[in-house]
Every structure is written in C-alpha cells, then in structure tokens.
Amino acid sequence: MPSLLVLLYRLFAALMLGYISPTVVVAWLPHSRNTYTYKYNNKHQLKYQHRWFELHAGILSFDTSGESSKSITSAVNKDPLLLNDYDSYQRQKLDLQLLLLDNYDSYTYNLYSYLSTICKRPPIVVPNDAYSSWEHLKQSMDMNIDGIVISPGPGRPERKEDMGICLEVIRDNPMLPILGVCLGHQALGYYYNATVELAPNGPVHGLLSPVRYTPICDNDNDDNKTQTLRTCDLFRGLPQEFNVVRYHSLVVEFPCLKEDTTLMIEPIAWCKSNTDAECVMGSDYNQGGDVNDIDICMALRHKMYPHYGVQFHPESVGTGSYGYQLLKNFCDFCVQYQNTRPSSRQYILNRFDTDEQHENEQVVQTGAKYKVFVHKISNDGTPQPCPEIVFENLFSTLEDAFWLDSSTGRIDADCFDNDTECPIISNSRFSIMGGNLGPLCKKIEYWGKNHKLENQGIFVTDFAQNKTHEIDNVKDIISYLKDEIVKSGISEEVVGIAIDNTHTDGFEEVTMTVPFHFHGGYVGYLGYEVWHDTLSSSRVHKNKGMNSCSNPHVPTAAFLFADRSLVYDHWRDEWYLVGVTETSSTSTRSKENLVQWMRDTRDQLLSISSKIEDDIPKGKRNTDKNTEPLFFHLKRSKNEYSDDISICHKKIRQGESYELCLTNQLKTKVCFPFNSKRHQSSSPFGLYKILRENNPAPFSSFMKFNSLPLGNRDHNGVQKSSVSICCSSPERFLSMKRRESSTQSTNTQIFGEHGWEFRPPFVSKQTRSRVKFIVESKPIKGTMPRFTNADGHFNGEMAIRRDREIANDLQQSTKNRAENLMIVDLLRNDLSRVCEAGSVHVPKLMAIESFATVHQMVSTIRGYVDQACSAVDVIAACFPGGSMTGAPKVRSVDILDELELGQSRGPYSGCLGYISLNGAMDMNIVIRTAVVTPSEPVSDSIVSWDVTIGAGGAITALSETDDEFEEMLLKSRAVRKSVESWKEENG
C-alpha cells in the first residue's frame, strides 16, 4: 500500500504546474560594502514580490523504477490561470530557505533560477567576501537557513581571496546540508584533506562526459532506514552514464580513488578523462600514457556530515533535466534532514537599521512624461525612397546623427501573418534614423573611468538652448539612464497623426498601432569600458584614468534623446515619422510644431528620387588613381598577441577562467585632398556606405557625434566628442520587447520551437494588467569564412557544396560548440538576475547563421523580464556581453585588462542601439566595426581620419595560437577592405 500511495503521489505531482516566487533583491550585504551588482533597491532585507504570469512549464516526470527521468513539455495554457491551479502548485514546492554563496562565478544565477522553481522562497545570494566572517553574516540576517549551496567560481580552494568565507562556512556547519558545485566541490575536498590538483589531462570547459555513480541501496532495517533519511541520494532517478557538462581545470584526488579509510570524505561518482580536449592534451600531461583510463571524481560526500559536492555543472543547459533532478534531490534531502534533525537549521538574526533599508528605493513615476505621435506615409504603390538615400539627404550633414540600419533588410523579409506584430525572430525588418533636430533633443556624453580624471563626468547638451552642462550627483551613465527612465515613466500608447492635405495646418489625431517597438527615446552606445560601472565586486579595478590609454575624442558612452526620428519598414516598404512631446506641454502649439515637422519631412521624402535600394550607384571605386596603399598597424604584434594567448592558456589551466575573449586593434590613418563636392564620400559616412555594401548585417549602424575634421571644430574648453561608428554587426546583444496581449501569439514567439529538451517548471504571478516584457540575446561564438568562387560569388554547384561543408564543419566543431555553450550558460546567468526565475530558456542552441562573408554559430536565449526591472537594469545585468569577455566574467575582464595593457576597447565590444520610451530596448554587440576620429591635418587642403578596428576571439583550452591569430584577422577583413576602398574612392 505505501508503494501505491507513493506512485499515486508522483503521478499527481507530474501533472501539476509550477510557479516561482522570485525576489528582486537576492543578495544581502553589510552596511560597509557597496551595492552588489544589479541589486536595484539596495535593501538589506528580502522583499518578496509575488506576481502572475502565463502558464508554460516543462514538468519533470519521475520514473518510479529509479532508472530514468525525462522532460515533458506541457501544452500552452491559453486561458488565464485559475487561482486554485496556482495555489496547488505552491503547496507542492518545498518549504526551504537556502543560502547560495557566490564565488563570483558567471553561472551562480542559473543555480538560483533552478532552486527558485523548487523552493517556495528563492535562495539568498551572498558574495563570498560580502561579510568578514560567518558570524558576521549570521548577525546580519533574520531567518532560518535549511541548507547551503556553494557556487562554482574561478581560482583555487586554498586561496582566501578566491573563497572568501566558504571554508569557514563548511567548518562551522557540520550538521547543515551543504552542496558544493565545481569550486564548491573542490572546497569540500580541500577542507576535508583530500588533494586538489590540476586535472591530469588538462582543463575541460564546455564539454560533455558520461557519469557513473554509486547508488544508495534500500534496506529494510529500521536503523538503516533512519540513516538513509539522513543521507542525500543525489542521483535518485538518474540513469548510469548520464551526460553532464564540465567546466573545470582542477580535480579532487583521493589516495585511492574509490576507497580511502583515512579521509572523512569519499567519492561517489566518476567519469573517464576522455573528452576531445583531454585526448588532445593528454599526451602532453602524461608522456604518452593511456589518457582514456583515468577516472575523475565527479561527486563526493562526507561519511558523517550532510556535505556533498559535484564537480560538474548541474545548472548548465547542456546537463539539462539531469542537473535539475540532482538539485531537486538535494532540496528533498534538506526537507528530510530538517524533519529528522530540526536543530540543524541555522537561525540568522537581522540587525539592520530599518531606515537604511529604504535609502535608495526606486520612486516610480506616476504617469508618463512624454507623449508619442506617429505619422505613417501612405504607400500608393510607388517605390519609397530607400534608407540610404533618405539618411544621406536628411541627416548625414548634421553634427550628431544615427542610423540603426538593418542592412540585410529586404521587401520579402520574414514576418508573421499578423501585420501589426514585429516578430522577435526577425532581425532585419526595421531601420531607424534621426539626429539632433527636435526641441527636446539632447546629447549625453559620458567620460568614464577609462579617461583622465579631470575629464570624467556626464555632460548633457541641450540643443534647444545650445548649452552644455555637467550633471552633478550622478556617477555613471547607467545611473543617469536609469534615473531618466524612472522620471519619464512608460509611454505605452502612440497617437496617430493624419495630415489634411487640403489645409496647410490641418491635422487630426487618430487611433494607431505600429508594427515596431521604437517610440522615440535614447539612441547611442555603451563602450566596453562601462564595465567599470556594471561589474561591481571586491575586485573592481582601481581608477586607471591617470594612465589612460583611451582616445580623447571618444566618450565612454554617448546617447541622443531622439524626439524626431524616422522608421522604415523593409517588409512593407513604408515610412513612419515618430515625434515626441512632453505631456505637460502637449498644447495646440507644440502639436502644431510637431505636425509641421511631419509635414515638412513627408514632403522631403516625397521629393527625393524614388529609387529602390538596388538602384543606388554601387561600387564605382576610383581605382584608377595612383593612391598609396594603406597599412594597418596592430596594437600588439603577432608575437605579442601569441604570447597573450599563451598566458590565456596558462590562466585557463590554473582554473582562473573557462574562456577569455582576447582582442587586438588594427589602426591606420586615411588622408584625402579636401574637396567640398565630395564631402560626403570622404566623410566617415562614405566609409559606412561601402561597409554596408561589402558586409551587410542585421544589426548594422552608423552613428556620429560631432564628427568633423579637427580644423572645423569649435574648442570651447568643454570636453567634447568627435567620433563616428561604422558598424556591420551580425550579433544581437539584447532585445527587450513588450509582450503582446494576444496569449497565443506571444506564446508562439516565446515558447515556440525549443532548441533544448529541458526547461524548469515555471508559472509567473504577474497579472495580465501589468506591463510584461520579453528579453532576447543572440550570442555568436564560432566563425568560419564562407567559400566563394574567384569572382566572389556563391554560384555553381561546387561552390554551394563547399560552402555547405564549411557550415557543417562549424556546426560539428568541438571547440566552437564548447565556446558557444559557455557563453549561453553565462547569458542565462546574467538574464536570470533580471528575469523571473525559471523563465530563461534557450529556443535555439548552436544554430548556424550565414552572412555575406562568414558563417556564424549563434544561440538564442530568452526570458520574461521581472516587472520591477527596466531596460537599463537588463543592460546593466548583462554588460559587457559575455561573448566579448569570457567566463567567469568578472575574473576574465580582470585578466583581459592586464593582457590588453589597459588599452580601452572603446565602442568596440560594447553595445549600440536604442532604449525606447515605451520600455522596449534593442542593442547589438559592436563588432565588425570601424571607429573613425579626426586626425591632426598635415595642411588645410588635407582631411585626415584615424581609423581603429577591433577584432579578437575566444581563447579556450582547445585554442591553437596560429588559428586564433588568423581568426582575429578574418573578423577584421571585411572592415579593412572597406577602409581600403574608401581610400581608393577618394584618392
């Protein structure tokens, strides 16, 4: 009978759907420390915010035989969730409070997300050095702790600077369940006197291995049953030889791997040291020994205490349902152990001052500050002027202008049947452009910690008043943008403007929906060095501004507040004019001014020769001129770059990083004879026109701030920018878009085809009436050149076949798949900071996308944004993009900064795009980019530009030095050739 009841219970549990109860503030800090990264209210107590969400859950089905577990994806619930459904699942979640010690890893919040779907209360996340001691931590909080999870992380377990208080936590909590993951597993091994050494066949990062384990046998003896309740069966329900993802350079070694009577810990799971990486490097480590016959400890346990460790990563998307089940087993054990030994719970007393708890609470703006108006230019069937011609005629001569250019956009681009919905999978449907035009337009320039101390600050230029002033009491661009977004509120609706052509001043407000997400707002870039403001930790670098290696013309970040902008729909061949006014001043006069701009701009568009994009004169390069060839100088020579790769390999072997995205810079100077008639072609915009032709990409952009030759600039003593960004990026960093009211269509977007079989149970408590946003990231890791004929085209069966073979080689590349998986797990971690726990998932894993010159391996990660988080919060949580840093992010950025000699990457490796007034956001990763700044002219008749191209690649344990150097040059090739063509064209 008990067995039948157990079976019925498990069947009932498998039918139930889960919910999460996330908390916005998930880390606790003492008064003496700065706010831990991405904690938005700076509270010292947890504030639980329950919310609704739409149902879609992957339910874990337990095989009662104990031999397997599998993921079953439930059908999408198309109706609002009933309260009793929500409550029934809530009652099934475990009544646990776990403490999650963060070792500054980039996968900690994947553990947090999984555990939050298992337990009623999310785990408390505490950085390992946030408190001086375990006693200090206990005195700072007020709740019972039922178990502790020690996260992965870089470094070694014997180093205090790597472990913080973790070893002390193990020592002082012998009767509290503890689970160590990776570095946490090594910490347990080290504390209990096992040996922690370099892996015998070298590091393994992002690769899968089958694991076998020692099962716990049932016994009818009452004493043994009691002991079993006090023993965690970590592998309950998992098959032997199940696959796990490994990220480690160190291993826990035992004198005799499977049995040792002198130690109080014992191994309970193993894998063979025979991944591709270990087989390649094994002979170097073992002088020709049998590299496949080495057992690696994958899990351990204490013989008396409830302390367990796993070397692999259960939270990785690659480990999937097996890892989730393991964490569930540990949580089940915590409940059992709590019931058998109630005194094991640790009570932590809170002694925070309640006044300080509300010190930095976000003040929510009631009502929107801005109102958005849109005029759609009717398409009467005649071709509309293409974006390049429009930008050249309307914006290219402005000092400050932007063009978010979907240069792969086409009239037959992919689109859902719903014409009013911009599909999240479409990368090329819309292009956006604007400049310093409207009465509300302003420019924000941020000179951050990579610049000289006397130049640092945030400067805002009000174009209407023609004044520039410094912002006081705001320390960085992230804080400034967040404050502005909070003050502005969310402008959810747009008002259509119908212009009466029979009257010069006639117009009418009409109801309108638009198919795009940009409703005016902030357009600009965050340079890579904004990491100084987003990666807060005890390891934050000291200010290097006094020894700055930054271009004085290039701000750390710059934005325009765009109140007058144009949007082009490539799919529909339609133009939209977007205007913004302040709600408080939406008088008849301000509307009339706005409508007059719309009328004038419409007339300008209609007067432009109606050419489709294919009719633009292309490629008439001035190759007859006897121009001197351009030479690109590497910032660090091939030998220096190769030495840096060797250092990366050493750091990876030592466990300091899993992956390091090393970069270099190529620089050249381009000089033209001054010719007023050819001003456009010899300006940076001329370069961009060539680049978008040579290397069209979905996230291309041209952006300029005060981009004038030095001889034409006004020096007024105020730090001013002078930079143009010519970007042909294929990579989306982040896209945050409103979740449409249509339940069915939204679920199709979010939970359509899933690229990985497992997703944890997830039901949100956000109400349908609250604004909900979807965030997406599309990291690229893995690049190979496309095959073309001698004429540069793909025509011919042989060329097509060879090109497909290259794409297939990329798809099967062990090295590239490992790189991609590492960054996918990193971005899942970053998004889990600002998304509802359990909602982050991977619709596409390691897909191949082909562009004009290269094949790329691209993955897609999505999640539901927590309702307390803004677009700026999402950017801050993920910046800089993991595909440009490596993992773990904080330690990797530290290492890279030293290797790159403190040289600022500038806009390269940062992100570029918009933050819209309706809460939406879209940012690319700035790669395949030329940064152009004015150079000192040799004479009044010469125009001179400095051009910098950033390029690099991810260094892993499998990287080959020569291959990495060639990949760096490959990634810069399309941009270099465009600069050469620019030089040839203008002589």
Side-chain angles (χ1 to χ4, degrees), residues 730 780-784 810 847-851 854-858 927-928 971:
I780 291 176
K781 270 287 164 263
T783 303
M784 285 189 178
L810 176 60
I848 301 300
E849 295 185 8
S850 298
F851 298 91
V854 295
H855 297 294
Q856 310 258 207
M857 185 180 287
V858 186
I927 54 177
R928 318 292 192 269
K971 291 176 178 178

Side-chain angles (χ1 to χ4, degrees), residues 178-193:
I178 295 177
L179 175 65
V181 179
C182 199
L183 182 63
H185 160 91
Q186 296 160 12
L188 288 164
Y190 170 76
Y191 182 78
Y192 290 118
N193 298 316

Side-chain angles (χ1 to χ4, degrees), residues 862-969:
R862 294 185 190 140
Y864 282 140
V865 179
D866 191 289
Q867 66 182 16
C869 297
S870 70
V872 180
D873 293 323
V874 173
I875 294 171
C878 301
F879 191 89
S883 62
M884 302 308 297
T885 64
K889 187 182 288 185
V890 173
R891 184 67 61 87
S892 296
V893 168
D894 202 347
I895 295 169
L896 291 168
D897 194 49
E898 294 179 6
L899 291 177
E900 296 175 9
L901 308 177
Q903 175 70 43
S904 294
R905 295 185 183 181
Y908 169 70
S909 296
C911 64
L912 181 157
Y914 70 77
I915 302 170
S916 177
L917 294 177
N918 64 346
M921 168 268 292
D922 207 346
M923 291 280 176
N924 74 2
I925 291 286
V926 182
I927 54 177
R928 318 292 192 269
T929 296
V931 177
V932 186
T933 56
S935 178
E936 291 290 347
V938 295
S939 70
D940 294 339
S941 61
I942 297 295
V943 176
S944 299
W945 302 99
D946 288 328
V947 180
T948 302
I949 303 169
I955 310 302
T956 69
L958 291 173
S959 296
E960 295 288 343
T961 299
D962 289 342
D963 291 345
E964 291 298 335
F965 183 79
E966 291 303 319
E967 181 178 334
M968 182 268 293
L969 294 179

Side-chain angles (χ1 to χ4, degrees), residues 343-360:
S343 61
S344 67
R345 305 183 83 185
Q346 278 281 4
Y347 184 77
I348 301 177
L349 177 65
N350 174 47
R351 293 182 180 174
F352 284 140
D353 185 348
T354 56
D355 291 337
E356 289 193 17
Q357 294 174 14
H358 305 282
E359 179 181 9
N360 289 329

